[in-house]
Amino acid sequence: MIARALTSVAAMLMVLSPARATEVLTSVPTVLAADRAYILVRIGERVPGAWNQLMLSPYDEMAEDLRGRGRAKGNPLPSGADDRVLIGPGKPLGEESHVRTYLIAITPGRYVLSNSATTCFCLGSFQFEAAAGQITDMGTIYIGAENGSSPWAVLARLRSAPDIEDLPYAVADAMAVYPWKEGMTVPASLVTLPRQPATYRAAPRLGNHFGKLLNRALPLGGRP
Amino acid sequence: MLAIALLPGVVRAEGGNAVSPWFYFSQPGLPREQVLADLDECSELAGVVQPPRADGVYTPDPIGAATVGFLQGMQRGEQRRNMIGAAYRKCMALKGYARIAMSKDEAKTLYAGSADERRARIADLALQPSQKPRLDP
């Protein structure tokens, strides 16, 4: 009787115990945890000397919104799961040729590249599945303001109307996502770990739940 | 839902457009229901835009603190209107609408009446062919 009660309490505690939160890793683990997903992502410099932030949010593909919010309010996240993953703050795994590489442990699940520091990609972005027990390689992502200030050619050609460029905080960011391909930097210490390229699919829309400016991600590979 | 007609700042280009401070959006050939849905979606997405929080300014004097707060509030309101306008224009541009200049009198007529009336007139105007020059998106 007592043993059964203790077993029930233990089971309840397991259910109620919160999942571990997002963790930006500064070194490569020797073994990947089976209950965690890992994302490897390279983020280009915003402007010389300044770096970007990118937020990933759990995505409800059917409702086309962030889980637990707006059209997906009826699909909340389990307690303790990451409701957002910020890429950018924290020490990167490495930095090379104006690109920083991050390895981040997150709650497994489907995520959308939801917004930069200033802009929601509410009018079209990309979603992918971050599977447990492996590294999902997101490739390289470039983000920059649409005012010609980006050092990356794919973004530097994008401009806003002159009156918008003259206003403070009114210029939206553009985002170009390059899926992983041979030639992208992979830290030598994680070559032996299980790693799959992210399978990106279009995320046609999402709500502007963080009150940002609006834009749509460029097509994969930055094609016009 | 925040209707476009409730956001005069959105369509009046608070920042001042070099060509015309008054404009409307145009895309003839769409079903009217699609135009209304686009107007509503862009209003909803742009209407929640918020400017970044300003750093607090320490003032030991309560009157000074109130003055600083008042001025910061005014500035934040203007920034918010500008950002909503920019976001709304971006949204409509991505949905394929051209921005067309109009006169102040035309704008007054367009935005007269109730929110529903304005919304209907904006949709009707969007569907009319126009020979007027396009503004930057």
Side-chain angles (χ1 to χ4, degrees):
Chain A
M1 179 78 171
I2 292 173
R4 203 159 53 188
L6 285 174
T7 307
S8 301
V9 169
M12 277 178 63
L13 286 174
M14 280 177 69
V15 169
L16 294 175
S17 64
R20 284 173 285 167
T22 298
E23 187 183 0
V24 180
L25 303 174
T26 54
S27 61
V28 177
T30 49
V31 179
L32 303 181
D35 63 341
R36 302 285 278 159
Y38 298 81
I39 51 170
L40 180 71
V41 59
R42 304 151 197 83
I43 301 273
E45 207 174 33
R46 181 176 180 82
V47 292
W51 293 89
N52 275 304
Q53 288 192 9
L54 172 64
M55 186 191 288
L56 309 180
S57 303
Y59 190 62
D60 183 326
E61 187 174 12
M62 297 298 288
E64 298 182 338
D65 212 338
L66 308 189
R67 286 185 64 182
R69 297 172 185 266
R71 290 180 294 270
K73 203 169 183 62
N75 181 15
L77 290 162
S79 173
D82 292 323
D83 73 339
R84 67 190 75 175
V85 175
L86 267 182
I87 304 168
K91 193 171 181 289
L93 206 55
E95 181 178 330
E96 187 180 299
S97 305
H98 307 281
V99 174
R100 284 182 172 174
T101 301
Y102 289 91
L103 180 63
I104 304 177
I106 63 176
T107 307
R110 178 157 292 275
Y111 288 87
V112 64
L113 283 63
S114 55
N115 53 271
S116 71
T118 68
T119 302
C120 173
F121 298 99
C122 295
L123 293 157
S125 186
F126 298 103
Q127 55 174 315
F128 68 97
E129 185 74 25
Q134 69 174 38
I135 297 169
T136 301
D137 193 323
M138 294 175 62
T140 306
I141 297 172
Y142 302 99
I143 299 170
E146 286 188 335
N147 59 5
S149 64
S150 173
W152 306 101
V154 66
L155 304 180
R157 61 186 168 79
L158 302 173
R159 300 299 298 251
S160 304
D163 64 313
I164 286 180
E165 288 194 8
D166 285 343
L167 295 171
Y169 308 115
V171 175
D173 278 351
M175 175 171 70
V177 178
Y178 291 76
W180 185 83
K181 63 177 182 181
E182 290 291 343
M184 286 186 184
T185 308
V186 179
S189 48
L190 61 70
V191 166
T192 56
L193 295 173
R195 182 170 59 90
Q196 287 292 322
T199 303
Y200 285 116
R201 286 217 305 264
R205 61 176 178 161
L206 51 135
N208 191 6
H209 301 294
F210 302 100
K212 306 288 185 185
L213 295 169
L214 303 174
N215 208 346
R216 174 189 294 158
L218 293 172
L220 281 183
R223 294 185 308 275
Chain B
M1 183 179 296
L2 201 55
I4 177 179
L6 299 178
L7 295 169
V10 164
V11 290
R12 213 184 62 193
E14 288 286 336
N17 184 282
V19 179
S20 170
W22 305 96
F23 56 84
Y24 66 94
F25 294 97
S26 171
Q27 190 171 187
L30 286 183
R32 191 168 189 276
E33 289 70 28
Q34 181 64 54
V35 176
L36 290 169
D38 290 343
L39 293 171
D40 290 343
E41 185 182 1
C42 287
S43 292
E44 186 178 327
L45 290 172
V48 297
V49 171
Q50 290 289 336
R53 292 264 165 210
D55 290 334
V57 178
Y58 174 71
T59 313
D61 167 22
I63 295 174
T67 306
V68 167
F70 175 74
L71 292 174
Q72 280 189 338
M74 293 234 320
Q75 185 185 32
R76 188 171 158 81
E78 184 188 357
Q79 281 177 355
R80 181 164 186 265
R81 286 191 295 277
N82 290 337
M83 292 174 72
I84 288 175
Y88 191 84
R89 282 167 56 179
K90 185 74 181 177
C91 183
M92 293 299 280
L94 287 172
K95 289 179 178 295
Y97 290 82
R99 204 164 63 95
I100 309 286
M102 62 180 171
S103 69
K104 186 174 180 179
D105 287 342
E106 287 173 321
K108 273 187 178 174
T109 306
L110 184 62
Y111 298 116
S114 70
D116 285 345
E117 289 168 346
R118 281 177 276 182
R119 179 171 171 266
R121 275 198 297 270
I122 290 167
D124 291 340
L125 189 56
L127 291 169
Q128 286 177 14
S130 172
Q131 300 301 317
K132 294 180 181 175
R134 293 180 169 206
L135 300 171
D136 288 321

